[in-house]
Amino acid sequence: MKIGTDGELPAPERDLGSGQATPGQAVSGPAASDPAPDVIVRRATAADADALVRLRAVMLDAMGTRVGGDDAPWRARARTWFTERLAATGEFAAFVVDDPELGVVSNAVGACDRHAPGPANLSGLHGHISNVCTDPRRLRRGYARACMEAVLDWFADETQARVINLNATSDGVGLYTGLGFANPPHPALQVRLDGTVAPVPVIRQERTGPGLS
């Protein structure tokens, strides 16, 4: 895996082929595959906010959420949210893979959540990974795995977070467990104060490999 510098666009990749997905195929956390040697991952900048929103819409749509059109209000808010946080590099990072034809085709987002310090976590920081998604036309090329590895490297090397959480769909479990994630001892629960029905429960994964506690 090669990680580019901030904002550096990778050289054009080899022809990736059509790679069309079947209708309705989930793309959040695609099945694990070994990244190709020439997969280039770079850290996203504020200029990538639109691409992150686009991939978020793909992910949510695959999970059964109605995302609306390009003018849906949530998209503008998400664009602002990503733009602001991509500028705050200390506790937030996103990593992407570029395609010469489609632009950004895969991403993973990492953020630090601040909690009260405890005996096993003096910093109080926990990591959370979200927005793991690959364009349906570029699935099963190791892109999601490469982005996941990059964000985990960022947590390990540049933050004090040593417990990393994510919410996994059934399509992504193989990828995440292959990277060391496992079920935590205490499951996550959810209540919605707006009276809406909570979505189908997902498996909450926690990475606790070497150097993580």
Side-chain angles (χ1 to χ4, degrees), residues 1-200:
M1 175 179 63
K2 297 181 240 179
I3 301 177
T5 57
D6 289 8
E8 178 186 356
L9 292 175
E13 301 180 28
R14 56 183 171 80
D15 183 13
L16 299 175
S18 59
Q20 294 295 326
T22 57
Q25 183 172 3
V27 294
S28 174
S33 58
D34 292 332
D38 57 351
V39 174
I40 298 177
V41 180
R42 64 176 176 86
R43 186 165 178 174
T45 69
D48 296 302
D50 281 331
L52 299 187
V53 173
R54 173 173 53 82
L55 287 174
R56 182 164 180 78
V58 172
M59 177 191 71
L60 293 173
D61 181 68
M63 295 170 65
T65 300
R66 295 182 180 179
V67 298
D70 292 341
D71 59 348
W74 75 268
R75 293 179 187 259
R77 293 194 178 191
R79 186 179 303 111
T80 299
W81 189 88
F82 278 120
T83 301
E84 292 175 348
R85 280 154 184 79
L86 287 167
T89 58
E91 296 184 359
F92 186 91
F95 293 88
V96 300
V97 172
D98 291 288
D99 177 81
E101 297 177 2
L102 304 177
V104 174
V105 292
S106 188
N107 77 154
V109 173
C112 292
D113 298 330
R114 291 192 170 273
H115 299 261
N121 187 353
L122 296 180
S123 72
L125 286 182
H126 286 222
H128 187 80
I129 296 177
S130 63
N131 225 66
V132 181
C133 180
T134 297
D135 188 295
R137 294 163 290 182
R138 294 295 186 263
L139 291 175
R140 306 196 69 82
R141 289 165 171 79
Y143 292 171
R145 183 183 182 92
C147 289
M148 283 290 298
E149 290 177 342
V151 77
L152 288 171
D153 287 346
W154 170 76
F155 275 122
D157 297 339
E158 300 186 34
T159 79
Q160 296 183 62
R162 290 297 177 265
V163 174
I164 314 301
N165 297 295
L166 59 78
N167 292 327
T169 64
S170 58
D171 295 300
V173 169
L175 169 62
Y176 303 134
T177 56
L179 290 169
F181 286 83
N183 288 320
H186 307 292
L189 301 176
Q190 183 182 88
V191 63
R192 296 199 167 195
L193 300 181
D194 59 2
T196 59
V197 178
V200 176

